[in-house]
């Protein structure tokens, strides 16, 4: 199975850059090649990586950056030159890329069909700074609004031109979207595959598809429906990572919540016991998807736990029950959480 990448064309890029890349079925690691552009209207394509690197070394030496190892390894074209790259991960055949086009305000997914590197020198690559390219990345024809793309794509914080999303689940989702969508190339041999399916059919898969904020919303939605707790407005925006937000019951008692939806992140109850001892909260809810909650000599796993001074911690709902119940509750109410709306046709249990 391949990789998935967020491919960034910056908001302040020249208008039409993302469209140029989509219409030319490619991605780019930059480089204008201006010094090698002979004249307006002329075009040259170079497939030799050796020749390109010699040109690049000369240009970067002129700007005193080529011999700076950090700068040298940071150039985005490193993602496109395969085994010649200084990086351990680079774009390969069958990888998927997700491009957000600010001009269209939509996401487009493309598949790397041919990972051959090429340097294109013409009027447009000089204009858009897109000289380094791959031979063929085939995009879907119509883009998707952000609300129609799962948050494990939209919620990724780009760390440069190319950001790796290393996840089999994300790859399966990208593969599904690409297969069911018309392609930008009308003559494409990769036709629609309407029989393709994608299901977030395990609790872990469902939760991993959400942003941290999405899981927080789901936990609160569950608690508010089962415990009649009310969220205190604005407390989910406090400048502290210790808790997500505050809640109150009908007797004005305070409750709070910590949610960890990332990798194997553990929580230690010792970090929260002082807040209970001080009487600041009646109870504290803790949830971690892949880690455990340390309580004395125990390691609690799997679900949503409540801690109070009045009793031993207890699991109020397992992870599987939590996802299933929360999903059904959202499906059958008028609660408007757009982050969940498109899951209703994807999730199965």
């Amino acid at each position: 199975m391949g990789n998935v990448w967020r491919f960034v064309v910056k908001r302040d890029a020249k208008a039409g850059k993302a469209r140029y890349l989509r219409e030319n079925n490619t991605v780019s690691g930059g480089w204008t090649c201006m010094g090698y552009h002979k004249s307006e209207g002329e075009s040259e394509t170079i497939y030799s990586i050796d020749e390109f690197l010699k040109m690049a070394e000369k240009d970067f030496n002129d700007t005193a950056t080529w011999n700076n190892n950090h700068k040298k390894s940071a150039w985005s074209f490193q993602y496109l030159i395969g085994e010649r790259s200084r990086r351990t991960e680079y774009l390969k055949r069958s990888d998927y890329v997700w491009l957000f086009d600010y001009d269209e305000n939509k996401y487009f997914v493309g598949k790397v069909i041919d990972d051959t590197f090429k340097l294109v020198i013409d009027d447009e690559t000089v204009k858009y700074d897109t000289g380094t390219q791959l031979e063929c990345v085939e995009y879907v024809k119509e883009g998707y609004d952000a609300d129609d793309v799962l948050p494990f794509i939209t919620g990724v914080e780009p760390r440069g031109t190319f950001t790796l999303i290393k996840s089999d689940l994300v790859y399966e989702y990208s593969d599904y979207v690409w297969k069911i969508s018309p392609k930008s190339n009308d003559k494409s041999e990769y036709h629609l595959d309407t029989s393709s399916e994608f299901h977030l059919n395990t609790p872990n898969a469902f939760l991993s598809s959400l942003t941290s904020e999405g899981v927080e919303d789901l936990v609160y939605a569950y608690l508010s429906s089962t415990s009649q707790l009310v969220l205190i407005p604005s407390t989910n925006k406090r400048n502290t990572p210790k808790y997500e937000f505050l809640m109150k019951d009908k007797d004005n008692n305070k409750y709070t919540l910590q949610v960890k939806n990332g990798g194997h992140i553990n929580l230690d109850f010792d970090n929260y016991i002082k807040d209970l001892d001080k009487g600041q909260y009646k109870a504290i809810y803790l949830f971690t998807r892949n880690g455990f909650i340390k309580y004395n000599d125990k390691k609690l796993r799997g679900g949503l736990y409540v801690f109070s001074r009045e009793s031993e911690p207890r699991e109020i709902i397992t992870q599987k029950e939590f996802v299933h119940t929360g999903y059904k509750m959202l499906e059958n109410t008028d609660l408007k959480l757009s982050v969940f709306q498109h899951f209703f046709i994807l999730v199965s249990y």
Side-chain angles (χ1 to χ4, degrees):
M1 190 171 293
N3 288 325
V4 178
W5 304 82
R6 277 292 305 272
F7 171 42
V8 174
V9 173
K10 293 182 179 179
R11 184 190 297 271
D12 58 358
K14 290 186 178 180
K17 180 175 180 177
R19 175 181 290 275
Y20 163 82
L21 293 165
R22 291 190 286 107
E23 290 182 346
N24 286 274
N25 298 309
T26 193
V27 293
S28 177
W31 212 49
T32 65
C33 329
M34 185 177 296
Y36 299 93
H37 189 215
K38 297 174 182 178
S39 62
E40 186 176 346
E42 289 197 16
S43 177
E44 181 181 7
T45 301
I46 298 171
Y47 286 94
S48 170
I49 295 177
D50 286 331
E51 185 175 350
F52 162 69
L53 290 177
K54 289 177 182 178
M55 297 163 66
E57 183 171 6
K58 179 182 181 302
D59 278 12
F60 296 148
N61 269 330
D62 290 344
T63 58
T65 58
W66 181 257
N67 292 318
N68 181 320
N69 287 331
H70 173 71
K71 289 283 187 180
K72 184 176 180 180
S73 63
W75 296 114
S76 297
F77 70 74
Q78 293 280 344
Y79 291 96
L80 308 182
I81 58 177
E83 294 179 354
R84 301 292 299 276
S85 174
R86 289 171 171 262
R87 300 182 176 276
T88 57
E89 297 284 0
Y90 43 82
L91 276 77
K92 304 182 185 72
R93 188 186 302 269
S94 296
D95 282 0
Y96 285 99
V97 296
W98 284 87
L99 165 66
F100 185 74
D101 187 333
Y102 283 101
D103 297 329
E104 300 284 341
N105 203 33
K106 291 181 181 296
Y107 282 90
F108 294 82
V109 60
K111 184 174 185 177
V112 179
I113 305 300
D114 187 340
D115 58 11
T116 302
F117 171 84
K118 63 181 179 180
L119 176 66
V120 181
I121 305 173
D122 61 24
D123 296 345
E124 289 185 303
T125 61
V126 171
K127 175 183 177 181
Y128 293 124
D129 187 19
T130 54
T132 58
Q133 301 181 11
L134 293 184
E135 183 68 14
C136 182
V137 178
E138 189 154 0
Y139 292 92
V140 299
K141 188 172 185 177
E142 302 294 334
Y144 290 88
D145 293 332
D147 285 345
D148 295 325
V149 179
L150 291 183
F152 50 39
I153 300 295
T154 61
V156 171
E157 186 68 30
R159 297 184 295 275
T161 303
F162 297 100
T163 300
L164 176 64
I165 310 173
K166 201 172 182 63
S167 164
D168 288 348
L169 181 67
V170 178
Y171 187 89
E172 291 169 4
Y173 171 67
S174 303
D175 184 64
Y176 162 76
V177 175
W178 189 80
K179 284 180 177 178
I180 66 169
S181 305
K183 309 304 181 288
S184 57
N185 178 6
D186 291 332
K187 297 180 181 179
S188 173
E189 62 180 288
Y190 301 96
H191 302 294
L192 290 180
D193 181 2
T194 56
S195 65
S196 181
E197 294 183 348
F198 174 76
H199 296 286
L200 296 169
N201 53 11
T202 68
N204 191 57
F206 180 81
L207 292 174
S208 69
S209 73
L210 303 180
T211 61
S212 297
E213 291 79 8
V215 176
E216 292 165 21
D217 287 347
L218 185 56
V219 173
Y220 169 67
Y222 170 76
L223 290 175
S224 66
S225 68
T226 58
S227 304
Q228 287 74 54
L229 298 178
V230 177
L231 176 68
I232 302 175
S234 300
T235 58
N236 59 333
K237 298 179 181 178
R238 296 176 302 161
N239 294 322
T240 171
K242 191 171 184 180
Y243 299 114
E244 313 304 349
F245 43 71
L246 297 179
M247 300 170 287
K248 284 187 176 182
D249 62 18
K250 59 183 179 61
D251 297 321
N252 211 36
N253 295 307
K254 291 183 179 180
Y255 302 78
T256 192
L257 168 73
Q258 175 60 275
V259 172
K260 294 297 183 184
N261 188 43
H264 294 272
I265 302 175
N266 302 322
L267 296 174
D268 190 337
F269 178 66
D270 287 345
N271 296 329
Y272 304 91
I273 191 172
K274 291 181 180 179
D275 295 333
L276 286 176
D277 288 340
K278 290 185 295 186
Q280 188 171 355
Y281 306 108
K282 185 176 179 62
I284 295 173
Y285 293 89
L286 299 179
F287 175 88
T288 177
R289 177 167 60 87
N290 285 324
F292 61 82
I293 302 170
K294 182 181 178 183
Y295 176 75
N296 295 332
D297 295 328
K298 300 177 181 178
K299 293 182 178 180
L300 309 177
R301 295 181 182 273
L304 179 65
Y305 289 82
V306 60
F307 295 79
S308 70
R309 299 305 299 172
E310 300 170 357
S311 61
E312 287 289 299
R314 61 187 177 89
E315 185 179 30
I316 60 175
I317 189 169
T318 66
Q319 187 177 113
K320 182 176 181 179
E321 293 169 337
F322 160 63
V323 173
H324 184 70
T325 303
Y327 161 72
K328 288 299 182 184
M329 185 268 303
L330 288 173
E331 183 184 34
N332 296 320
T333 67
D334 293 328
L335 187 59
K336 302 300 182 184
L337 293 176
S338 62
V339 73
F340 298 113
Q341 289 174 359
H342 53 282
F343 292 143
F344 298 156
I345 62 172
L346 296 177
V347 181
S348 64
Y349 295 96

